[in-house]
Amino acid sequence: MSNKKQIGLASLVLMVFTTVFGFANGPVAYYQMGYASIFWYIIAAIFFFLPAALMIAEYGSAMPNAEGGIFSWLEFSVSERFAFIGTFIWLANWLIWMVSTSSKIWIPMSSLIFGSDKTTTWAFFGLTSTQFVGILAILWMVVCTFTASHGVDKIQKVGSLGGTMVSIMSVIFVVVAIVIWIAQKGMTLQPIHGIRSFFVSPNPNFQSPIALLSFVVYAIFAYGGIESVGTLTDSMKDPAKTFPKGMVISMIVITILYSLMIFFWGVCTNWQQVLSGKNVTLGNITYVLMNNAGVVMGDALGLSHGASLAIGSFLTRFAGLGMFCAYVGSFFVMVYSPLKALVLGSDKRLWPAKMTKLNKYGMPSFAMWVQFWFIAILIFAISFGGAGAQKFYQILTNMANVASSAPYLFIVGAFPFFKKRTGIKRPFVFFKTQASATAVSIFVFCVVAFGIIFTCLNPILEGDYQTAFWTIFGPVFFGLVAFIFYNHEAKKHHVENTNTINKD
């Protein structure tokens, strides 16, 4: 439909930037690994993000009108069963991400309104703060689902807004860090003790070999989400050219920006003085660091203590606004794109008729509300599970990290088979030979697989079996559900396990 082909290169780059680049990933990386996270982020970019983006660019440009996006890629490459399981786990990843982030989104809102994270004090109506935030998260999912079900144009507008706000917030932080750096005559508040500082974490929890290797998954997660835009190729202007160009531009910008920002956090933050306390969590780390950056800039410029605190408060509030807009932009893409890939990409006979029915806006609204209820139940179960705030966010983060990485095993693993297929135009080809495509696929597959294994092993070796359970829960459980569901429905409706792109 021509009225859908409205997403140009600039909008695509902003949507990829919104979906992939997480301003909070820099603070989280610095909190966990200090300067050493730069090395792992560059490694993840070179050995995961770069080849994966090029593979996805080949997939997307070769099948620009494939309504199912990732599902269509995997189905054409291997088979429909393989595509169904891989896409189901991919959908599960973003379901878990929405469960996690629908709770975290209230931290930037609190920072915007109050100037700091007050969510741990939101104990109302006889509920603990964790339980109350969980209820707010469910209400937030109602708003997202309702709005996104009213058309892809709403998704594009909100996604572009989120990308714009993240860009502005990133520029402001970089300017603040440079001002501090100059005012301190090139000194960094986190000392650099030679090359060792870029390989050894100041965080005692990330100094064992297994913990270091498990950080690979955190680094990969920082680049996760690029594949989700592949479901929007049928809404792009000249997708065969726009999609690969947008992927490459976004990849370069995001990689450079991550590395610079991690270093700049060290310019204005001493890890031991600011981040070693128990009041710092993975959920509020961004606002703690932004507030500290403002105070440090004021002190470096010789302003009064009151003025420095005011700058810190302003940066915290602006970070709250920026992060809120970024989360909103990502939500409006993720509440629709993964579900669309699975439900509209797979054989319609696998689903009840209501699941594949489109409303007047061209959206699978019934399926989106089914998705909402599943997310709401998960949020309720985790929020009322009894874990403390720091433990709660750690569990959610681990769930999202492993679940986000697992689907790439399918995307990367299917790529050599995709290269072998004939009878399809390939406007963008980076991997010129079958041997190069296979070799790179195997290497990237191993990188992701080892990262997942070490992330699962780390909490087990530390005796933290609850975190280990939630870490493994996502991909394993949903993979089994997908396998059982597909086999049952395919047998029931006589659906053949083909490897051709589904047609209407």
Side-chain angles (χ1 to χ4, degrees), residues 55 412-413 416 436-448:
M55 290 178 194
V412 173
S436 64
T438 301
V440 173
S441 296
I442 292 173
F443 181 80
V444 176
F445 185 94
C446 291
V447 168
V448 178

Side-chain angles (χ1 to χ4, degrees), residues 29 71 81 84 103 181 184 213-214 234 239 263 268 310 345 406 450 473:
F71 186 98
R81 179 188 290 112
F84 191 91
S103 297
W181 202 14
Q184 294 174 162
L213 291 172
S214 70
D234 60 342
F263 173 76
C268 55
F450 281 125
F473 173 78

Side-chain angles (χ1 to χ4, degrees), residues 114-133:
F114 302 109
S116 63
D117 175 21
K118 300 289 187 182
T119 56
T120 55
T121 66
W122 290 0
F124 304 109
F125 310 111
L127 301 174
T128 66
S129 60
T130 300
Q131 292 168 346
F132 184 76
V133 169

